[in-house]
Amino acid sequence: MKNSLIKGLMVFLTMLCTSLTYSQDVSGTVSDASGPLPGASILVKGTTNGAQTDFDGKFTIKNVGSNAVLVFSYIGLKTQEVNVAGKSTVNVVLKEDSAELKEVVVIGYGSVRKKDATGAVDQIGAKDFDNVSSPSPAQLLRGKVAGVQVTQSSGEPGAGVAIRVRGNSSIRSGNGPLIVIDGVPLDGGNVSAGGDNLLGASSAKNPLNFVNQNDIESISVLKDASSTAIYGSRGANGVIVITTKKGKSKEPQLTYSSSVQFSKMSGNFDVMNADEFVAAGGDDKGSRSYNWKDAVLRNGFSMNHDLSFSKTTENSNTRVSFGASNTDGIVKNTGLDKYSASFYNSNDFFGGALKVESRVIYASLKDETTILSNDAGFIGNIIGTALYWNPTLPINNSNGSYNSISNTYLNPVELLNSYKDYTNTNKLLGSINTTWKITSKLKYQFLFGIESSTSTRKSQLLPTMRILDVATAAVPGSTDVKYGQANIASQNKFNKTFEHTLNYNNDFSDNFNLDALVGYSYYDYTADGSGARGRGYDNAQTNLIDNIEGGLQNEFRVSSYRNRVELQSYFGRVNATLYKRLILTGTIRSDGSTKLGVNNKYDYFPSVGVAYKVIDNKEGLVNSFKIRGNYGITGNQEFSPNSAIARASYGNNGTLGVDSNANADLKWETTKSYGVGTDFELFNNRLTGSLDYFQRDTKDLIFPVPAAATQPGPPSPRFKNLPGNLINKGVEVSLNYKVIDTEDLTWDVSGNASFLENKMTNFAGFISTGGLNGQGLSGAYAQVISNDKPIYSYYMYEWRGYDSTGNSIYADASGNDTGLGTAAKSILDKQPLPKINVGFSTNLAYKGFDASASFYGAFGHYIYNNTTNAYFFKGAFLGGRNVTNEAATSAQAQGDPNSPSTKYLEKGDFLRMGNLTFGYTVKGAILERFKIKSARFYVNGSNLFVITNYTGSDPEVDTDKSLNGVPSAGMEYLSYPREKSVAVGLNVTF
């Protein structure tokens, strides 16, 4: 008994001494890729003993055993366990948990785990964005998502961007996806006022320019009916859901980023220099100083600054940001200045039962442009005049005045300096979202959002600039003619969104989960604008914009307009999960719109999706494997307001004219689609990917039917749904592989590809588009929409070369060689829409160093080079204009008509390096002295090279050459050149 007591006492003393010896305080610092991480959690594994890091990412935990294990965690980062092993200092760097970031994707009216989605949904986050601010978030998607093609209309800062999700689903209505920002659907129209159409119409600006890239948390792309049908009449072209950032840190966090970008022209128009021009037989005027690039181009420059502050508590979350960017375009007198601000705040009330979120995004933009246009005639715009100017002609006379040749042969520098055009736009997007948790399973949400924009565009052409039939005005009672024109156009939009949703989510058992949503939406879109135009000014007048009434009184014009569209919707969605493997999704939406005829105000848009997890979270070769399928109907309401009603307008002196007739039966274009796909994870989750097949069938296409040619009949056009089906189908594949994933070294590669085809069926029409411009090309077009052919198929003569006299040879109806008089135009088996789109990116990081590269490309399509057709031919050279050396020395006769033909049709295949970035992140005691958590320096190159056989300035082009409201594709004409750029930047976190 005595021995037992002694033994027990010895054991107790040993444990006590051991505890006193080895129980200790452990301190350290927790960081992430950006530096010290405030608010991270540290817990002694198996106990409740823990702590959180302070503002500097530091922590201290008392009474930690020598062999204890510390668990470090933070939302969005990988949880890490570290054995203390007797150490008193433990420093940890937490890595991004890409699996967790991708686990939940944002969809319509909520979110869903990627593994539980029945539809085709892709999401990219802030870490996927390039390091130099893009003028528009749309460009962040370029090459990143399978089935999404992003094409910028030109290289102009802020130029319009065409986004196509799984191809084109309409002819005359819009083909762009619905864009939803923080739950507020944008109206999709242009936010800037129109131009003056002096030497042709100019392209629209990008409606997403107002969003600052650094404010975006994620971009989700909803591609199929299962995911888009919840948006009903607006989901036919896909949906892009943009979610902006919130605060993440419980300690105040301040971030600042800055970059400077230098750029120059990418590609070239290979016109001759002065020596080549003379050698080819051109008229030598003696000068050798002219270079078309020096005349109208310059080195571009851009500077970007962003500052944000955020802080969270248990019951609130706040983030404020400010951004400023100033861009000088590579064409003189062009640029884009943008100043933006955003605000997010959320507060919880009544123990979290009520949550109120408010968001505001504001941007002020100033666009400056020059006399650029999509449909300038043979006189040309600023690019055209610079190209055709005789390179042996001096720009200025000996007295310093401009060397003016004629009113059809313009001095490019004089034109550049005689024209002024700028647009000021203010854009506001705001919302209040209230969430009431009625019970643990039932919640109600109310969203009120506004989208407001005001835009004013002012332009002038000086009266000293004389152009044939442009800005001319006859003086009343005289034979005198005056020149000069000024325009002021304003546009205002105010859109309201009201949405009520009720969501029920309940796990009835381990084998059955139900997530149900019902909702009501009301949208009110209003737009109004006005314009004033003056013409016929005295030569001494230089500030026409601010004295627009100073022209001829009889030439002063004013105009105004106002439109309103209302959309009312009821919708519901049910997600049911059975046995944790089978997932069913059903959606229905009823939409009613004031755009439609009185007999078709409402329509219904249902969808169903199913997914089955064949393999879920297994170890080994195949970790997860899910198959899914979907079917549904969506609509397209992107057509003009008041299309279904009779419209009339008053003209000068009160004359009333009928603009269109009513159609009480006008209804939505609808797209019926189905698809099957699979998502998978292989090799211990290192290889992830998806594979999809889809088909879409659009019917009830809306077209204007022209006025009757003979009476009796309607004197004005009207809109109606024509018979015909537009079929789109394709295959998409997306892969991502973690080549290396260690603590110090990571390397991943990802790629995607889409294979698309489309065709019109059951269509009796023959509709022209792809209008051509230039000398001898008035009224010509290059593309048609016809039955059993891809949309925008090329329609033209097939060129076979030159005969012995230098005249072009074309194919006749039988395919034989012939002259132009008996040649036959034909619909070619060539289309402007790419059949294959690809994207590839890779990211490498070693300790503080990082590198990334991205590529994208398009294949299987053709581009019509309207620039070459209009300006580079033998007759132009012999007439005194500069051309390419190939055109000047060709066998073509001077009088050979430059008719539209396959001579100017080229393959548009290309592969472009989008971005290449090298960066280094600095951390440590040196920065901590200045309360800096981290600083990252980087160098970024954009559009460093492109691989293509296309001979034009750039293969990625989309000049708007629409006819009668029917869009075109794949056309190049005097477009603003693209740029290649290098930027250096700094990101600092305090």
Side-chain angles (χ1 to χ4, degrees):
M1 183 70 175
K2 182 178 179 180
N3 290 335
S4 297
L5 290 173
I6 293 174
K7 290 179 180 178
L9 180 61
M10 292 298 293
V11 169
F12 173 75
L13 292 174
T14 300
M15 293 176 62
L16 178 62
C17 292
T18 300
S19 176
L20 292 173
T21 303
Y22 293 102
S23 182
Q24 59 185 345
D25 293 348
V26 176
S27 302
T29 302
V30 180
S31 306
D32 65 359
S34 301
L37 191 67
S41 297
I42 305 95
L43 186 68
V44 179
K45 191 173 184 178
T47 74
T48 58
N49 186 19
Q52 279 194 332
T53 56
D54 62 15
F55 175 78
D56 299 314
K58 299 183 182 301
F59 72 93
T60 298
I61 301 182
K62 299 182 180 295
N63 301 322
V64 180
S66 62
N67 293 320
V69 174
L70 299 182
V71 181
F72 298 83
S73 62
Y74 190 84
I75 296 174
L77 302 177
K78 288 183 178 179
T79 298
Q80 188 171 333
E81 296 185 358
V82 177
N83 197 318
V84 174
K87 297 189 292 290
S88 60
T89 301
V90 177
N91 297 322
V92 172
V93 178
L94 298 181
K95 295 182 178 180
E96 278 192 344
D97 189 350
S98 57
E100 181 176 340
L101 290 174
K102 294 181 179 179
E103 181 69 20
V104 176
V105 293
V106 179
I107 58 173
Y109 304 100
S111 59
V112 65
R113 291 199 314 163
K114 176 72 171 176
K115 291 184 177 182
D116 295 336
T118 61
V121 182
D122 280 314
Q123 180 170 290
I124 61 174
K127 69 184 184 65
D128 299 305
F129 301 161
D130 301 318
N131 292 290
V132 176
S133 294
S134 298
S136 167
Q139 298 178 32
L140 300 173
L141 291 168
R142 186 178 286 152
K144 299 290 178 64
V145 178
V148 177
Q149 182 189 10
V150 180
T151 305
Q152 191 170 335
S153 61
S154 74
E156 185 176 6
V161 173
I163 307 174
R164 297 293 180 263
V165 179
R166 292 186 166 180
N168 292 37
S169 63
S170 181
I171 300 300
R172 205 177 186 279
S173 299
N175 277 296
L178 171 67
I179 297 174
V180 180
I181 301 181
D182 294 326
V184 180
L186 305 187
D187 75 341
N190 298 326
V191 296
S192 60
D196 51 21
N197 200 19
L198 283 172
L199 283 171
S202 56
S203 296
K205 296 295 183 179
N206 191 330
L208 278 179
N209 284 344
F210 75 98
V211 182
N212 186 344
Q213 167 194 329
N214 291 319
D215 289 333
I216 298 175
E217 179 68 28
S218 67
I219 303 177
S220 293
V221 182
L222 317 183
K223 298 189 284 188
D224 62 4
S226 180
S227 56
T228 64
I230 192 69
Y231 291 103
S233 63
R234 311 176 76 181
N237 302 312
V239 180
I240 293 178
V241 181
I242 298 176
T243 303
T244 58
K245 291 179 179 178
K246 307 175 182 178
K248 289 185 177 180
S249 172
K250 290 187 177 180
E251 297 292 337
Q253 182 167 298
L254 184 69
T255 62
Y256 170 73
S257 63
S258 178
S259 66
V260 179
Q261 181 173 292
F262 306 90
S263 54
K264 64 178 182 179
M265 179 181 174
S266 171
N268 193 17
F269 292 103
D270 292 322
V271 293
M272 295 181 289
N273 60 33
D275 291 335
E276 292 170 332
F277 185 82
V278 173
D283 187 11
D284 188 356
K285 299 297 184 179
S287 174
R288 295 294 186 272
S289 62
Y290 178 80
N291 181 297
W292 81 269
K293 293 182 181 179
D294 295 337
V296 298
L297 301 186
R298 64 185 176 187
N299 290 328
F301 178 79
S302 178
M303 181 171 286
N304 302 279
H305 300 278
D306 284 282
L307 182 69
S308 67
F309 172 82
S310 62
K311 188 181 186 302
T312 67
T313 67
E314 288 187 8
N315 298 315
S316 68
N317 187 318
T318 302
R319 182 179 185 273
V320 182
S321 74
F322 302 93
S325 66
N326 307 98
T327 301
D328 294 332
I330 60 173
V331 175
K332 295 176 181 178
N333 297 345
T334 66
L336 173 63
D337 293 342
K338 178 168 72 173
Y339 302 93
S340 64
S342 71
F343 171 77
Y344 171 82
N345 177 258
S346 69
N347 289 280
D348 293 341
F349 302 94
F350 311 115
L354 181 66
K355 183 175 185 177
V356 179
E357 296 177 282
S358 57
R359 289 181 171 92
V360 176
I361 299 175
Y362 171 80
S364 175
L365 300 97
K366 181 177 180 180
D367 292 290
E368 182 185 14
T369 189
T370 185
I371 196 157
L372 298 162
S373 51
N374 303 322
D375 53 357
F378 76 100
I379 294 176
N381 63 10
I382 196 64
I383 301 297
T385 58
L387 292 174
Y388 69 60
W389 183 261
N390 182 333
T392 68
L393 270 172
I395 287 293
N396 297 99
N397 297 314
S398 58
N399 62 1
S401 62
Y402 290 115
N403 186 1
S404 297
I405 305 303
S406 73
N407 61 1
T408 61
Y409 195 113
L410 307 184
N411 184 315
V413 178
E414 182 184 13
L415 180 63
L416 181 75
N417 294 331
S418 298
Y419 184 74
K420 181 187 295 185
D421 189 335
Y422 57 89
T423 304
N424 292 320
T425 301
N426 295 302
K427 177 86 175 189
L428 176 69
L429 183 70
S431 65
I432 295 178
N433 193 344
T434 302
T435 303
W436 175 28
K437 294 181 180 178
I438 301 173
T439 69
S440 61
K441 300 178 178 60
L442 183 67
K443 69 178 181 180
Y444 161 78
Q445 280 188 305
F446 169 68
L447 171 71
F448 171 67
I450 60 170
E451 179 190 5
S452 174
S453 65
T454 60
S455 176
T456 301
R457 183 170 185 172
K458 299 180 179 181
S459 60
Q460 68 175 35
L461 181 67
L462 294 179
T464 52
M465 188 75 229
R466 306 298 172 88
I467 308 175
L468 178 67
D469 297 330
V470 172
T472 61
V475 179
S478 171
T479 58
D480 293 341
V481 175
K482 286 190 174 184
Y483 291 82
Q485 181 169 310
N487 288 74
I488 300 176
S490 66
Q491 177 174 277
N492 307 299
K493 289 190 173 185
F494 190 80
N495 308 321
K496 293 175 289 187
T497 298
F498 299 87
E499 289 188 336
H500 303 266
T501 57
L502 192 64
N503 181 249
Y504 178 78
N505 192 322
N506 188 20
D507 291 315
F508 288 94
S509 69
D510 289 341
N511 296 322
F512 179 52
N513 169 267
L514 178 67
D515 185 359
L517 173 82
V518 294
Y520 167 81
S521 295
Y522 172 76
Y523 310 103
D524 186 340
Y525 300 125
T526 61
D528 66 81
S530 61
R533 190 209 74 191
R535 184 178 287 175
Y537 295 84
D538 292 331
N539 285 348
Q541 293 177 271
T542 57
N543 190 358
L544 313 185
I545 292 174
D546 295 333
N547 185 214
I548 194 170
E549 71 276 16
L552 292 174
Q553 182 178 357
N554 63 303
E555 289 288 346
F556 187 73
R557 300 285 186 272
V558 292
S559 61
S560 62
Y561 71 91
R562 181 178 178 86
N563 287 319
R564 184 180 183 186
V565 175
E566 294 176 277
L567 181 67
Q568 180 176 253
S569 309
Y570 304 87
F571 54 90
R573 179 176 61 206
V574 174
N575 286 321
T577 303
L578 305 174
Y579 300 98
K580 299 181 180 179
R581 289 184 178 270
L582 179 63
I583 307 164
L584 303 173
T585 301
T587 304
I588 188 167
R589 181 167 181 136
S590 172
D591 280 337
S593 173
T594 57
K595 284 187 175 183
L596 302 180
V598 294
N599 297 332
N600 287 305
K601 286 294 185 184
Y602 282 86
D603 208 343
Y604 297 90
F605 303 94
S607 77
V608 61
V610 60
Y612 183 72
K613 300 177 183 178
V614 181
I615 300 173
D616 188 30
N617 293 326
K618 298 293 184 181
E619 299 290 334
L621 177 64
V622 182
N623 312 115
S624 297
F625 184 77
K626 179 182 72 177
I627 56 175
R628 47 185 166 75
N630 69 88
Y631 171 86
I633 299 173
T634 50
N636 187 349
Q637 78 144 15
E638 294 306 315
F639 56 94
S640 300
N642 305 318
S643 295
I645 62 175
R647 290 184 293 118
S649 61
Y650 288 98
N652 291 336
N653 301 316
T655 58
L656 182 64
V658 178
D659 298 322
S660 67
N661 292 295
N663 181 1
D665 296 320
L666 187 69
K667 57 185 177 180
W668 271 302
E669 295 181 358
T670 55
T671 299
K672 183 185 301 183
S673 63
Y674 68 86
V676 293
T678 178
D679 302 315
F680 53 84
E681 298 179 358
L682 308 174
F683 310 126
N684 293 320
N685 301 308
R686 296 183 68 173
L687 176 64
T688 61
S690 62
L691 178 67
D692 283 271
Y693 169 81
F694 69 90
Q695 179 165 318
R696 302 193 300 178
D697 179 356
T698 302
K699 65 176 184 176
D700 298 323
L701 299 167
I702 297 175
F703 284 93
V705 178
T710 58
Q711 300 300 320
S716 299
R718 66 172 179 160
F719 289 87
K720 66 179 300 184
N721 303 99
L722 294 185
N725 299 75
L726 174 55
I727 309 295
N728 276 278
K729 56 185 177 181
V731 175
E732 300 167 354
V733 59
S734 180
L735 297 171
N736 182 79
Y737 184 61
K738 298 177 183 177
V739 182
I740 302 173
D741 188 17
T742 65
E743 184 173 345
D744 291 332
L745 178 63
T746 61
W747 180 26
D748 66 78
V749 295
S750 60
N752 65 80
S754 58
F755 306 86
L756 305 170
E757 62 178 83
N758 70 84
K759 184 170 66 172
M760 284 294 300
T761 62
N762 307 314
F763 186 66
F766 185 88
I767 299 173
S768 59
T769 186
L772 300 178
N773 298 97
Q775 191 164 0
L777 296 173
S778 298
Y781 57 92
Q783 297 172 351
V784 295
I785 296 166
S786 183
N787 192 46
D788 288 332
K789 295 291 183 180
I791 57 175
Y792 315 131
S793 289
Y794 286 108
Y795 176 73
M796 61 190 62
Y797 299 113
E798 184 179 347
W799 187 73
R800 299 285 182 83
Y802 300 111
D803 63 17
S804 58
T805 64
N807 289 305
S808 292
I809 303 172
Y810 302 99
D812 64 13
S814 301
N816 300 316
D817 291 353
T818 186
L820 181 60
T822 55
K825 289 185 178 181
S826 60
I827 301 178
L828 306 177
D829 188 22
K830 294 178 174 63
Q831 66 177 56
L833 299 178
K835 296 179 180 179
I836 303 173
N837 289 283
V838 300
F840 172 80
S841 61
T842 182
N843 299 279
L844 178 68
Y846 176 70
K847 294 186 176 179
F849 295 92
D850 64 86
S852 62
S854 64
F855 303 82
Y856 64 93
F859 305 89
H861 64 296
Y862 287 79
I863 299 173
Y864 193 82
N865 195 333
N866 191 182
T867 304
T868 299
N869 189 181
Y871 288 92
F872 304 151
F873 58 97
K874 192 65 167 285
F877 173 65
L878 297 178
R881 297 187 172 212
N882 196 10
V883 297
T884 61
N885 189 271
E886 179 184 8
T889 59
S890 72
Q892 186 181 24
Q894 179 178 4
D896 180 45
N898 227 29
S899 302
S901 72
T902 56
K903 177 181 179 181
Y904 309 104
L905 193 61
E906 304 182 48
K907 282 190 174 182
D909 299 352
F910 75 90
L911 179 66
R912 186 189 303 276
M913 170 173 270
N915 278 275
L916 177 65
T917 304
F918 296 97
Y920 180 70
T921 302
V922 183
K923 304 175 183 176
I926 297 178
L927 294 181
E928 290 179 5
R929 293 179 186 175
F930 303 97
K931 297 298 182 180
I932 298 176
K933 298 175 186 176
S934 69
R936 180 175 181 271
F937 302 89
Y938 66 87
V939 178
N940 171 274
S942 299
N943 188 26
L944 296 182
F945 68 84
V946 59
I947 301 172
T948 184
N949 289 324
Y950 179 63
T951 63
S953 65
D954 195 276
E956 190 182 1
V957 68
D958 190 23
T959 306
D960 181 7
K961 307 294 289 181
S962 58
L963 284 179
N964 301 317
V966 178
S968 64
M971 306 281 289
E972 180 186 357
Y973 188 55
L974 302 178
S975 59
Y976 191 113
R978 292 190 182 272
E979 63 181 33
K980 62 176 63 176
S981 61
V982 175
V984 292
L986 169 68
N987 300 330
V988 182
T989 302
F990 298 90

Short mmCIF file of all heavy atoms in Angstrom, two decimals, residues 182 253 260 348 433 778 810 847:
data_model
loop_
_atom_site.label_atom_id
_atom_site.label_comp_id
_atom_site.label_asym_id
_atom_site.label_seq_id
_atom_site.Cartn_x
_atom_site.Cartn_y
_atom_site.Cartn_z
N ASP A 182 -24.46 42.66 -58.92
CA ASP A 182 -24.96 42.65 -57.54
C ASP A 182 -26.48 42.55 -57.50
O ASP A 182 -27.15 43.22 -56.71
CB ASP A 182 -24.48 43.89 -56.78
CG ASP A 182 -22.98 43.90 -56.57
OD1 ASP A 182 -22.39 42.82 -56.39
OD2 ASP A 182 -22.39 45.00 -56.60
N GLN A 253 -8.27 47.44 -43.13
CA GLN A 253 -7.29 47.10 -44.17
C GLN A 253 -7.34 48.14 -45.28
O GLN A 253 -8.41 48.44 -45.81
CB GLN A 253 -7.57 45.72 -44.74
CG GLN A 253 -6.55 45.27 -45.79
CD GLN A 253 -6.66 43.80 -46.10
OE1 GLN A 253 -6.47 42.94 -45.24
NE2 GLN A 253 -7.00 43.47 -47.34
N VAL A 260 1.64 52.10 -64.49
CA VAL A 260 1.90 52.98 -65.62
C VAL A 260 2.10 52.10 -66.84
O VAL A 260 2.86 51.13 -66.80
CB VAL A 260 3.14 53.86 -65.39
CG1 VAL A 260 3.40 54.74 -66.60
CG2 VAL A 260 2.97 54.71 -64.15
N ASP A 348 -26.19 43.76 -39.55
CA ASP A 348 -27.11 42.76 -39.02
C ASP A 348 -27.86 43.35 -37.83
O ASP A 348 -27.27 44.04 -36.97
CB ASP A 348 -26.36 41.51 -38.58
CG ASP A 348 -25.74 40.76 -39.75
OD1 ASP A 348 -26.19 41.00 -40.88
OD2 ASP A 348 -24.81 39.97 -39.54
N ASN A 433 -30.48 45.84 -50.45
CA ASN A 433 -30.95 44.46 -50.38
C ASN A 433 -31.22 44.11 -48.92
O ASN A 433 -30.31 44.14 -48.09
CB ASN A 433 -29.90 43.51 -50.97
CG ASN A 433 -30.46 42.13 -51.23
OD1 ASN A 433 -31.51 41.77 -50.71
ND2 ASN A 433 -29.75 41.34 -52.01
N SER A 778 -20.55 51.95 -103.40
CA SER A 778 -21.82 52.44 -102.85
C SER A 778 -22.93 51.41 -103.08
O SER A 778 -23.13 50.93 -104.20
CB SER A 778 -22.21 53.76 -103.51
OG SER A 778 -21.24 54.74 -103.24
N TYR A 810 -13.68 36.56 -113.07
CA TYR A 810 -14.55 36.02 -112.04
C TYR A 810 -15.22 34.75 -112.56
O TYR A 810 -15.21 34.45 -113.76
CB TYR A 810 -15.63 37.03 -111.65
CG TYR A 810 -15.08 38.35 -111.17
CD1 TYR A 810 -15.01 39.46 -112.02
CD2 TYR A 810 -14.65 38.50 -109.86
CE1 TYR A 810 -14.52 40.68 -111.58
CE2 TYR A 810 -14.16 39.73 -109.40
CZ TYR A 810 -14.09 40.81 -110.27
OH TYR A 810 -13.60 42.00 -109.83
N LYS A 847 7.90 30.93 -53.83
CA LYS A 847 8.08 31.83 -52.70
C LYS A 847 7.50 33.20 -53.06
O LYS A 847 6.33 33.32 -53.33
CB LYS A 847 9.55 31.88 -52.30
CG LYS A 847 10.05 30.54 -51.75
CD LYS A 847 11.47 30.62 -51.21
CE LYS A 847 11.86 29.30 -50.59
NZ LYS A 847 13.25 29.31 -50.05
#
